Amino acid sequence: MREFLVAGNWKMNGSTAANEALISGILAGLPEGSGFRLLVCPPFPYLVSVASQVLGSKLALGAQNVSEHAVGAFTGETAASMLKDIGCEYVIVGHSERRALYDETSDRVAAKFQAAQVAGMTPILCVGETLPEREAGATEKVIDEQLDAVLNTAGAAAFAKAVIAYEPVWAIGTGVTATPEQAQDVHRHIRARLAGQDAEVAEKVQILYGGSMKGENAAGLLSMPDIDGGLIGGASLKASDFLAIAEAATLS
Ligand code: PEP
């Protein structure tokens, strides 16, 4: 049985006061039970303060990005070892906003994935197609290219300590959610591609769905056999919205 992971990607939102209120709200309403994990990924300047707030709780900490380099003259970058040092367990790599707005290639994403693992963190590898790509029938081709860049450098065994997030770009921040069937089709494809190289790892890897997931649609998505949680943007910024998705994960 795979655990559910519900991860909040706060993107470039928050302030000291707002974060404290958000984390307090989440901690106050954490669902009972087991079989799920909750994670928050605040912006870099707030990682340390959020780390102290979540310490010892059931809420894990992650970052939204990481350098592919280990150390040195890379102004403005953050090494994986630094993130690990301040308590991050996870780091998002290859989010579509980074691929599209900051020209992150799949090869660079693969290097970040490996840097995270070398430092002892769990990378959350985001993959997903744009609307024109879906309409052109190229969804699987796009996913394969993004996945293979990591498979070819890190190997399938590396996914024993990684998470994959399928995030159709057309669903991110748009209010348009993939149907459970649309998402399941892609999740099944991702797991099968991995199984082609390592069936055991493929069976165990968590594959999250991301793209306008909310309390109202979470249960349907999470009921699908290959959907193991969510990567949540907008709905992770309000405790009650985030907790509604967490609740759905405990019931699925
Ligand atoms: C995201 O940015 O990873 C995301 C899924 O955003 P949203 O939930 O707002 O669509």
Side-chain angles (χ1 to χ4, degrees):
M1 263 307 267
R2 292 181 298 268
E3 251 194 356
F4 283 109
L5 175 65
V6 178
N9 173 14
W10 293 3
K11 309 195 187 189
M12 201 172 71
N13 293 289
S15 65
T16 302
N19 300 345
E20 273 175 24
L22 177 53
I23 295 292
S24 302
I26 295 172
L27 291 176
L30 279 183
E32 296 291 321
S34 56
F36 67 95
R37 193 140 208 244
L38 301 184
L39 163 70
V40 288
C41 301
F44 280 103
Y46 301 117
L47 283 169
V48 171
S49 55
V50 173
S52 65
Q53 236 190 317
V54 301
L55 193 73
S57 78
K58 281 170 80 175
L59 207 47
L61 183 71
Q64 300 173 18
N65 186 26
V66 66
S67 172
E68 65 272 42
H69 303 289
V71 68
F74 301 102
T75 302
E77 291 290 289
T78 306
S81 59
M82 299 172 185
L83 296 174
K84 175 75 178 168
D85 189 30
I86 58 153
C88 288
E89 288 181 67
Y90 293 86
V91 60
I92 299 169
V93 298
H95 190 281
S96 61
E97 286 154 16
R98 299 226 44 100
R99 291 181 192 262
L101 303 175
Y102 301 98
D103 295 328
E104 281 191 14
T105 62
S106 288
D107 287 344
R108 189 152 176 233
V109 172
K112 290 178 179 228
F113 179 102
Q114 283 193 288
Q117 287 196 328
V118 166
M121 282 193 298
T122 302
I124 301 177
L125 171 67
C126 299
V127 296
E129 82 288 1
T130 62
L131 190 56
E133 287 165 344
R134 171 163 281 261
E135 287 173 345
T139 298
E140 292 187 357
K141 181 171 168 281
V142 171
I143 303 290
D144 290 350
E145 181 272 327
Q146 294 172 343
L147 198 57
D148 288 356
V150 179
L151 278 171
N152 293 339
T153 51
F159 284 86
K161 290 209 173 84
V163 174
I164 300 170
Y166 168 55
E167 297 210 301
V169 179
W170 47 272
I172 295 181
T174 58
V176 179
T177 315
T179 64
E181 293 74 21
Q182 280 175 321
Q184 167 60 22
D185 281 349
V186 181
H187 282 233
R188 184 195 302 113
H189 173 78
I190 292 170
R191 203 178 299 284
R193 192 159 185 93
L194 213 48
Q197 296 199 16
D198 191 324
E200 201 182 322
V201 166
E203 188 49 38
K204 288 189 182 148
V205 70
Q206 288 170 313
I207 308 178
L208 314 184
Y209 167 79
S212 300
M213 199 186 214
K214 337 182 202 345
E216 305 91 79
N217 57 36
L221 287 157
L222 296 174
S223 70
M224 292 289 133
D226 289 298
I227 302 185
D228 309 312
L231 182 53
I232 322 296
S236 70
L237 297 174
K238 208 168 139 200
S240 57
D241 292 347
F242 189 60
L243 288 168
I245 299 170
E247 202 68 52
T250 66
L251 302 173
S252 296

Short mmCIF file of all heavy atoms in Angstrom, two decimals, residues 91-143:
data_model
loop_
_atom_site.label_atom_id
_atom_site.label_comp_id
_atom_site.label_asym_id
_atom_site.label_seq_id
_atom_site.Cartn_x
_atom_site.Cartn_y
_atom_site.Cartn_z
N VAL A 91 12.17 18.46 -1.99
CA VAL A 91 12.31 19.66 -2.83
C VAL A 91 11.61 19.40 -4.17
O VAL A 91 11.74 18.31 -4.75
CB VAL A 91 13.79 20.07 -3.01
CG1 VAL A 91 14.63 19.00 -3.67
CG2 VAL A 91 13.88 21.36 -3.82
N ILE A 92 10.86 20.40 -4.61
CA ILE A 92 10.18 20.31 -5.91
C ILE A 92 11.21 20.60 -7.00
O ILE A 92 11.96 21.58 -6.90
CB ILE A 92 9.04 21.35 -5.98
CG1 ILE A 92 7.99 21.09 -4.90
CG2 ILE A 92 8.40 21.35 -7.37
CD1 ILE A 92 6.96 22.22 -4.73
N VAL A 93 11.27 19.76 -8.01
CA VAL A 93 12.14 20.05 -9.16
C VAL A 93 11.32 19.95 -10.45
O VAL A 93 10.45 19.10 -10.58
CB VAL A 93 13.39 19.12 -9.25
CG1 VAL A 93 14.28 19.30 -8.03
CG2 VAL A 93 13.03 17.66 -9.42
N GLY A 94 11.61 20.88 -11.36
CA GLY A 94 10.96 20.82 -12.68
C GLY A 94 9.52 21.28 -12.69
O GLY A 94 8.75 20.89 -13.59
N HIS A 95 9.13 22.13 -11.73
CA HIS A 95 7.77 22.68 -11.80
C HIS A 95 7.61 23.38 -13.15
O HIS A 95 8.55 24.00 -13.65
CB HIS A 95 7.54 23.65 -10.65
CG HIS A 95 6.10 24.06 -10.52
ND1 HIS A 95 5.52 25.01 -11.33
CD2 HIS A 95 5.11 23.62 -9.70
CE1 HIS A 95 4.23 25.13 -11.01
NE2 HIS A 95 3.97 24.30 -10.02
N SER A 96 6.42 23.32 -13.72
CA SER A 96 6.23 23.88 -15.06
C SER A 96 6.51 25.37 -15.10
O SER A 96 6.92 25.90 -16.15
CB SER A 96 4.82 23.59 -15.56
OG SER A 96 3.87 24.20 -14.71
N GLU A 97 6.31 26.07 -13.98
CA GLU A 97 6.62 27.51 -13.98
C GLU A 97 8.13 27.72 -14.11
O GLU A 97 8.58 28.67 -14.74
CB GLU A 97 6.06 28.16 -12.70
CG GLU A 97 4.55 28.31 -12.78
CD GLU A 97 3.84 28.34 -11.45
OE1 GLU A 97 4.47 28.55 -10.40
OE2 GLU A 97 2.60 28.14 -11.47
N ARG A 98 8.91 26.84 -13.53
CA ARG A 98 10.37 26.97 -13.67
C ARG A 98 10.81 26.55 -15.08
O ARG A 98 11.70 27.15 -15.66
CB ARG A 98 11.09 26.14 -12.59
CG ARG A 98 10.74 26.62 -11.19
CD ARG A 98 11.92 26.77 -10.30
NE ARG A 98 13.06 27.40 -10.90
CZ ARG A 98 13.39 28.69 -10.72
NH1 ARG A 98 12.63 29.49 -10.00
NH2 ARG A 98 14.48 29.18 -11.27
N ARG A 99 10.17 25.53 -15.61
CA ARG A 99 10.53 25.11 -16.97
C ARG A 99 10.18 26.23 -17.97
O ARG A 99 10.98 26.55 -18.85
CB ARG A 99 9.77 23.84 -17.36
CG ARG A 99 10.19 22.57 -16.59
CD ARG A 99 9.37 21.37 -17.09
NE ARG A 99 9.50 20.19 -16.25
CZ ARG A 99 10.32 19.16 -16.50
NH1 ARG A 99 11.09 19.17 -17.56
NH2 ARG A 99 10.35 18.12 -15.70
N ALA A 100 8.99 26.83 -17.79
CA ALA A 100 8.53 27.81 -18.79
C ALA A 100 9.11 29.20 -18.57
O ALA A 100 9.52 29.86 -19.53
CB ALA A 100 7.00 27.87 -18.76
N LEU A 101 9.18 29.66 -17.31
CA LEU A 101 9.58 31.05 -17.05
C LEU A 101 11.08 31.20 -16.86
O LEU A 101 11.62 32.28 -17.02
CB LEU A 101 8.86 31.59 -15.80
CG LEU A 101 7.33 31.53 -15.82
CD1 LEU A 101 6.75 31.97 -14.48
CD2 LEU A 101 6.79 32.42 -16.93
N TYR A 102 11.75 30.11 -16.48
CA TYR A 102 13.19 30.21 -16.19
C TYR A 102 14.00 29.25 -17.05
O TYR A 102 15.15 28.94 -16.71
CB TYR A 102 13.44 29.98 -14.68
CG TYR A 102 12.70 31.01 -13.87
CD1 TYR A 102 11.46 30.71 -13.30
CD2 TYR A 102 13.18 32.32 -13.76
CE1 TYR A 102 10.74 31.67 -12.61
CE2 TYR A 102 12.46 33.28 -13.07
CZ TYR A 102 11.24 32.96 -12.51
OH TYR A 102 10.52 33.92 -11.84
N ASP A 103 13.38 28.81 -18.14
CA ASP A 103 14.07 28.00 -19.16
C ASP A 103 14.77 26.77 -18.58
O ASP A 103 15.86 26.42 -19.03
CB ASP A 103 15.10 28.86 -19.91
CG ASP A 103 14.42 29.96 -20.71
OD1 ASP A 103 13.29 29.70 -21.18
OD2 ASP A 103 15.01 31.04 -20.85
N GLU A 104 14.19 26.15 -17.60
CA GLU A 104 14.81 24.94 -17.06
C GLU A 104 14.56 23.77 -18.02
O GLU A 104 13.42 23.39 -18.26
CB GLU A 104 14.25 24.61 -15.66
CG GLU A 104 14.89 25.47 -14.60
CD GLU A 104 14.57 25.00 -13.18
OE1 GLU A 104 14.08 23.89 -12.97
OE2 GLU A 104 14.85 25.80 -12.28
N THR A 105 15.62 23.24 -18.55
CA THR A 105 15.50 22.10 -19.46
C THR A 105 15.34 20.82 -18.66
O THR A 105 15.65 20.77 -17.45
CB THR A 105 16.78 21.97 -20.31
OG1 THR A 105 17.86 21.72 -19.39
CG2 THR A 105 17.07 23.22 -21.12
N SER A 106 14.93 19.76 -19.33
CA SER A 106 14.78 18.48 -18.64
C SER A 106 16.13 17.98 -18.13
O SER A 106 16.20 17.30 -17.10
CB SER A 106 14.15 17.45 -19.58
OG SER A 106 12.79 17.76 -19.76
N ASP A 107 17.21 18.29 -18.84
CA ASP A 107 18.54 17.86 -18.38
C ASP A 107 18.92 18.58 -17.08
O ASP A 107 19.50 18.00 -16.16
CB ASP A 107 19.61 18.14 -19.45
CG ASP A 107 19.49 17.16 -20.61
OD1 ASP A 107 18.81 16.12 -20.43
OD2 ASP A 107 20.03 17.44 -21.69
N ARG A 108 18.58 19.86 -17.02
CA ARG A 108 18.90 20.61 -15.80
C ARG A 108 18.05 20.10 -14.64
O ARG A 108 18.52 19.98 -13.50
CB ARG A 108 18.65 22.10 -16.07
CG ARG A 108 19.13 22.97 -14.97
CD ARG A 108 19.51 24.37 -15.44
NE ARG A 108 19.88 25.15 -14.28
CZ ARG A 108 19.36 26.34 -13.98
NH1 ARG A 108 18.49 26.91 -14.77
NH2 ARG A 108 19.74 26.97 -12.90
N VAL A 109 16.79 19.80 -14.94
CA VAL A 109 15.90 19.26 -13.91
C VAL A 109 16.47 17.93 -13.39
O VAL A 109 16.48 17.67 -12.19
CB VAL A 109 14.46 19.08 -14.46
CG1 VAL A 109 13.58 18.34 -13.47
CG2 VAL A 109 13.86 20.45 -14.81
N ALA A 110 16.98 17.13 -14.31
CA ALA A 110 17.57 15.84 -13.91
C ALA A 110 18.77 16.07 -13.00
O ALA A 110 18.98 15.34 -12.01
CB ALA A 110 17.98 15.04 -15.14
N ALA A 111 19.56 17.09 -13.29
CA ALA A 111 20.73 17.39 -12.44
C ALA A 111 20.28 17.85 -11.05
O ALA A 111 20.88 17.50 -10.03
CB ALA A 111 21.60 18.45 -13.11
N LYS A 112 19.20 18.62 -11.00
CA LYS A 112 18.66 19.07 -9.70
C LYS A 112 18.13 17.87 -8.91
O LYS A 112 18.29 17.79 -7.69
CB LYS A 112 17.54 20.09 -9.92
CG LYS A 112 18.06 21.43 -10.45
CD LYS A 112 16.93 22.41 -10.70
CE LYS A 112 17.51 23.72 -11.20
NZ LYS A 112 16.97 24.89 -10.50
N PHE A 113 17.46 16.97 -9.61
CA PHE A 113 16.92 15.75 -8.98
C PHE A 113 18.06 15.00 -8.30
O PHE A 113 17.97 14.60 -7.14
CB PHE A 113 16.28 14.91 -10.09
CG PHE A 113 15.68 13.59 -9.68
CD1 PHE A 113 14.31 13.45 -9.53
CD2 PHE A 113 16.48 12.47 -9.47
CE1 PHE A 113 13.74 12.22 -9.18
CE2 PHE A 113 15.93 11.24 -9.11
CZ PHE A 113 14.55 11.12 -8.98
N GLN A 114 19.16 14.85 -9.01
CA GLN A 114 20.29 14.10 -8.46
C GLN A 114 20.96 14.85 -7.31
O GLN A 114 21.34 14.25 -6.30
CB GLN A 114 21.30 13.79 -9.55
CG GLN A 114 20.82 12.64 -10.44
CD GLN A 114 21.93 12.11 -11.33
OE1 GLN A 114 22.34 12.77 -12.27
NE2 GLN A 114 22.43 10.93 -11.02
N ALA A 115 21.06 16.18 -7.45
CA ALA A 115 21.68 16.98 -6.38
C ALA A 115 20.86 16.83 -5.09
O ALA A 115 21.42 16.72 -4.00
CB ALA A 115 21.75 18.45 -6.80
N ALA A 116 19.55 16.83 -5.22
CA ALA A 116 18.69 16.68 -4.05
C ALA A 116 18.94 15.34 -3.38
O ALA A 116 19.09 15.25 -2.15
CB ALA A 116 17.22 16.80 -4.46
N GLN A 117 19.02 14.30 -4.18
CA GLN A 117 19.22 12.96 -3.59
C GLN A 117 20.61 12.82 -2.95
O GLN A 117 20.74 12.19 -1.91
CB GLN A 117 19.01 11.89 -4.67
CG GLN A 117 17.53 11.73 -5.01
CD GLN A 117 17.23 10.46 -5.76
OE1 GLN A 117 18.06 9.97 -6.53
NE2 GLN A 117 16.04 9.92 -5.57
N VAL A 118 21.61 13.40 -3.58
CA VAL A 118 22.96 13.32 -3.01
C VAL A 118 22.96 13.95 -1.61
O VAL A 118 23.64 13.47 -0.70
CB VAL A 118 23.98 14.02 -3.94
CG1 VAL A 118 25.31 14.27 -3.23
CG2 VAL A 118 24.19 13.21 -5.21
N ALA A 119 22.15 15.01 -1.43
CA ALA A 119 22.10 15.68 -0.13
C ALA A 119 21.17 14.97 0.85
O ALA A 119 21.02 15.40 1.99
CB ALA A 119 21.65 17.13 -0.32
N GLY A 120 20.51 13.91 0.39
CA GLY A 120 19.64 13.16 1.29
C GLY A 120 18.21 13.64 1.33
O GLY A 120 17.46 13.33 2.26
N MET A 121 17.81 14.42 0.31
CA MET A 121 16.42 14.88 0.25
C MET A 121 15.64 14.08 -0.80
O MET A 121 16.22 13.44 -1.67
CB MET A 121 16.37 16.36 -0.13
CG MET A 121 16.67 17.27 1.03
SD MET A 121 16.23 18.96 0.62
CE MET A 121 17.33 19.23 -0.75
N THR A 122 14.33 14.16 -0.70
CA THR A 122 13.46 13.49 -1.67
C THR A 122 13.00 14.49 -2.72
O THR A 122 12.26 15.43 -2.39
CB THR A 122 12.22 12.90 -0.95
OG1 THR A 122 12.67 11.99 0.06
CG2 THR A 122 11.31 12.18 -1.93
N PRO A 123 13.43 14.33 -3.96
CA PRO A 123 12.93 15.25 -4.99
C PRO A 123 11.50 14.92 -5.40
O PRO A 123 11.12 13.75 -5.44
CB PRO A 123 13.89 15.03 -6.17
CG PRO A 123 14.48 13.68 -5.95
CD PRO A 123 14.42 13.39 -4.48
N ILE A 124 10.72 15.96 -5.66
CA ILE A 124 9.37 15.78 -6.23
C ILE A 124 9.48 16.24 -7.68
O ILE A 124 9.56 17.45 -7.95
CB ILE A 124 8.31 16.60 -5.47
CG1 ILE A 124 8.28 16.19 -3.99
CG2 ILE A 124 6.94 16.44 -6.12
CD1 ILE A 124 7.31 17.01 -3.13
N LEU A 125 9.55 15.29 -8.59
CA LEU A 125 9.76 15.61 -10.00
C LEU A 125 8.42 15.92 -10.68
O LEU A 125 7.55 15.06 -10.75
CB LEU A 125 10.42 14.41 -10.71
CG LEU A 125 10.51 14.51 -12.23
CD1 LEU A 125 11.46 15.62 -12.67
CD2 LEU A 125 10.92 13.17 -12.83
N CYS A 126 8.28 17.16 -11.16
CA CYS A 126 7.04 17.55 -11.84
C CYS A 126 7.15 17.30 -13.34
O CYS A 126 8.16 17.65 -13.96
CB CYS A 126 6.76 19.03 -11.63
SG CYS A 126 6.54 19.48 -9.91
N VAL A 127 6.12 16.71 -13.88
CA VAL A 127 6.03 16.51 -15.33
C VAL A 127 4.62 16.89 -15.76
O VAL A 127 3.69 16.83 -14.97
CB VAL A 127 6.31 15.03 -15.74
CG1 VAL A 127 7.73 14.63 -15.39
CG2 VAL A 127 5.32 14.06 -15.09
N GLY A 128 4.47 17.31 -17.02
CA GLY A 128 3.12 17.65 -17.48
C GLY A 128 3.15 18.34 -18.82
O GLY A 128 4.13 18.99 -19.18
N GLU A 129 2.04 18.20 -19.53
CA GLU A 129 1.94 18.75 -20.87
C GLU A 129 1.14 20.05 -20.90
O GLU A 129 0.31 20.28 -20.02
CB GLU A 129 1.28 17.70 -21.80
CG GLU A 129 -0.24 17.63 -21.76
CD GLU A 129 -0.82 17.02 -20.47
OE1 GLU A 129 -0.05 16.64 -19.57
OE2 GLU A 129 -2.07 16.95 -20.37
N THR A 130 1.36 20.86 -21.92
CA THR A 130 0.57 22.08 -22.12
C THR A 130 -0.72 21.69 -22.86
O THR A 130 -0.84 20.57 -23.37
CB THR A 130 1.33 23.11 -22.96
OG1 THR A 130 1.57 22.53 -24.25
CG2 THR A 130 2.66 23.50 -22.33
N LEU A 131 -1.64 22.64 -22.95
CA LEU A 131 -2.90 22.35 -23.66
C LEU A 131 -2.65 22.05 -25.15
O LEU A 131 -3.17 21.05 -25.67
CB LEU A 131 -3.88 23.51 -23.48
CG LEU A 131 -5.30 23.24 -23.97
CD1 LEU A 131 -5.90 22.01 -23.31
CD2 LEU A 131 -6.20 24.46 -23.71
N PRO A 132 -1.85 22.87 -25.86
CA PRO A 132 -1.59 22.53 -27.27
C PRO A 132 -0.97 21.14 -27.43
O PRO A 132 -1.28 20.41 -28.37
CB PRO A 132 -0.63 23.62 -27.74
CG PRO A 132 -0.84 24.75 -26.81
CD PRO A 132 -1.25 24.16 -25.49
N GLU A 133 -0.10 20.77 -26.50
CA GLU A 133 0.51 19.44 -26.58
C GLU A 133 -0.55 18.35 -26.39
O GLU A 133 -0.57 17.35 -27.10
CB GLU A 133 1.63 19.31 -25.53
CG GLU A 133 2.87 20.11 -25.91
CD GLU A 133 3.87 20.33 -24.77
OE1 GLU A 133 3.52 20.13 -23.58
OE2 GLU A 133 5.00 20.73 -25.08
N ARG A 134 -1.45 18.55 -25.42
CA ARG A 134 -2.53 17.57 -25.21
C ARG A 134 -3.41 17.50 -26.46
O ARG A 134 -3.76 16.42 -26.93
CB ARG A 134 -3.36 17.94 -23.97
CG ARG A 134 -4.61 17.08 -23.81
CD ARG A 134 -5.20 17.15 -22.42
NE ARG A 134 -4.49 16.30 -21.48
CZ ARG A 134 -4.89 15.09 -21.10
NH1 ARG A 134 -5.99 14.56 -21.59
NH2 ARG A 134 -4.17 14.39 -20.25
N GLU A 135 -3.76 18.67 -26.98
CA GLU A 135 -4.66 18.70 -28.14
C GLU A 135 -4.02 18.07 -29.37
O GLU A 135 -4.71 17.57 -30.25
CB GLU A 135 -5.12 20.14 -28.42
CG GLU A 135 -6.12 20.59 -27.35
CD GLU A 135 -6.52 22.06 -27.44
OE1 GLU A 135 -5.83 22.83 -28.15
OE2 GLU A 135 -7.49 22.43 -26.78
N ALA A 136 -2.69 18.10 -29.41
CA ALA A 136 -1.98 17.48 -30.54
C ALA A 136 -1.76 15.99 -30.30
O ALA A 136 -1.09 15.31 -31.09
CB ALA A 136 -0.64 18.19 -30.75
N GLY A 137 -2.27 15.48 -29.19
CA GLY A 137 -2.11 14.05 -28.89
C GLY A 137 -0.70 13.70 -28.43
O GLY A 137 -0.28 12.54 -28.52
N ALA A 138 0.02 14.71 -27.91
CA ALA A 138 1.44 14.48 -27.57
C ALA A 138 1.67 14.34 -26.06
O ALA A 138 2.83 14.38 -25.61
CB ALA A 138 2.28 15.62 -28.12
N THR A 139 0.61 14.14 -25.29
CA THR A 139 0.77 14.10 -23.83
C THR A 139 1.83 13.08 -23.40
O THR A 139 2.78 13.42 -22.68
CB THR A 139 -0.58 13.79 -23.14
OG1 THR A 139 -1.49 14.85 -23.46
CG2 THR A 139 -0.44 13.69 -21.63
N GLU A 140 1.69 11.85 -23.86
CA GLU A 140 2.62 10.81 -23.39
C GLU A 140 4.04 11.07 -23.87
O GLU A 140 5.01 10.82 -23.15
CB GLU A 140 2.12 9.43 -23.83
CG GLU A 140 0.82 9.06 -23.10
CD GLU A 140 0.34 7.64 -23.35
OE1 GLU A 140 0.99 6.91 -24.15
OE2 GLU A 140 -0.68 7.27 -22.75
N LYS A 141 4.16 11.60 -25.08
CA LYS A 141 5.50 11.90 -25.62
C LYS A 141 6.21 12.94 -24.74
O LYS A 141 7.39 12.81 -24.41
CB LYS A 141 5.34 12.41 -27.05
CG LYS A 141 6.60 12.73 -27.79
CD LYS A 141 6.27 13.00 -29.27
CE LYS A 141 7.45 13.62 -29.98
NZ LYS A 141 7.59 15.05 -29.70
N VAL A 142 5.45 13.97 -24.34
CA VAL A 142 6.04 15.03 -23.50
C VAL A 142 6.44 14.47 -22.13
O VAL A 142 7.53 14.73 -21.62
CB VAL A 142 5.01 16.19 -23.33
CG1 VAL A 142 5.48 17.20 -22.29
CG2 VAL A 142 4.77 16.87 -24.66
N ILE A 143 5.53 13.70 -21.54
CA ILE A 143 5.81 13.11 -20.22
C ILE A 143 7.05 12.20 -20.31
O ILE A 143 7.93 12.23 -19.45
CB ILE A 143 4.60 12.26 -19.74
CG1 ILE A 143 3.32 13.09 -19.69
CG2 ILE A 143 4.90 11.57 -18.40
CD1 ILE A 143 3.24 14.12 -18.63
#
